[in-house]
Amino acid sequence: MGTALRLPPWRQGQLDGLCGLYAAINALGHIAAPVASIDRRWAMRLFKLGLGYIADHVPLTVAVRDGIDPEPWAALVSHLTEYVAAKLDTPFTVSLPFAGNPKVARDEWLNTARLTLNAGDALLFLLAGQHRHYTMAARLTPRLLVLHDSAGLQHLQLSSTGMVASKRRHRIQAEWTIVVSMGQPRVRERPG
């Protein structure tokens, strides 16, 4: 389920906490692929823009060392998405389907993930528990949530994955689930 990802994920360094920035860039690369390839130059531009945004909202040394909190992360994803949408002259939508609802049931979250991935949209989320990590889902199978991840995480076994209040090894913090969708590119008429 879900569309095949065209490029490997951009990977973060071993000493930084910028997984949220990488998750956003990886998601935008995936979602924009039908219109434009987010190559190294594009990714570097997004990285620089994202670092500037982070530095305006969080002390950069804290962000690099410890990562960023969910509110500035969601705003960062929106900021980068607006930039890509403007550059491509294509409408994009950013939504938080469970905003303000930390007690989402696991089946409800998995159903939303399935629908999102089947639609070809990007699904980003905050993974708690063993990890405190922002990542992107690539595919959902009956046993696995396959990731497109900057830290090299390949998948989560669904049997060891629950919601934030569970005791499972991997915990999804549902209220910080972000869906990025791309609309139809605008058609420009030629003067004639």
Side-chain angles (χ1 to χ4, degrees):
M1 295 181 179
T3 59
L5 300 177
R6 292 158 184 88
L7 298 171
W10 295 102
R11 301 285 298 266
Q12 69 189 84
Q14 292 180 313
L15 301 176
D16 71 67
L18 297 175
C19 57
L21 177 54
Y22 281 90
I25 294 168
N26 285 330
L28 289 167
H30 165 64
I31 204 73
V35 176
S37 175
I38 303 292
D39 60 11
R40 184 171 177 75
R41 188 173 45 192
W42 253 90
M44 289 299 291
R45 191 175 317 139
L46 289 172
F47 188 79
K48 182 178 177 184
L49 180 67
L51 279 180
Y53 185 86
I54 292 168
D56 288 344
H57 296 86
V58 179
L60 197 51
T61 55
V62 171
V64 170
R65 185 187 66 227
D66 301 327
I68 60 176
D69 288 332
E71 291 94 354
W73 175 63
L76 169 68
V77 172
S78 292
H79 179 71
L80 292 177
T81 301
E82 289 170 8
Y83 175 82
V84 171
K87 288 292 184 188
L88 297 179
D89 195 25
T90 301
F92 282 71
T93 304
V94 175
S95 63
L96 283 84
F98 305 113
N101 185 3
K103 296 182 179 181
V104 174
R106 181 177 178 263
D107 287 343
E108 182 180 0
W109 191 90
L110 289 172
N111 187 54
T112 297
R114 186 174 293 104
L115 293 171
T116 299
L117 295 171
N118 285 344
D121 296 335
L123 178 74
L124 298 95
F125 61 98
L126 174 55
L127 187 58
Q130 180 180 358
H131 313 279
R132 186 180 184 284
H133 183 63
Y134 298 107
T135 190
M136 177 186 157
R139 195 166 41 95
L140 182 61
T141 74
R143 292 183 35 242
L144 302 172
L145 180 59
V146 180
L147 303 177
H148 191 68
D149 185 74
S150 65
L153 292 172
Q154 305 226 342
H155 61 269
L156 304 175
Q157 293 278 345
L158 291 181
S159 61
S160 63
T161 303
M163 304 317 287
V164 75
S166 77
K167 301 264 189 246
R168 295 189 184 191
R169 180 178 182 191
H170 308 294
R171 298 179 208 147
I172 296 167
Q173 200 164 339
E175 66 184 312
W176 299 109
T177 299
I178 300 176
V179 175
V180 181
S181 308
M182 183 177 76
Q184 293 297 318
R186 290 180 177 76
V187 177
R188 297 177 193 257
E189 293 184 27
R190 290 187 171 165

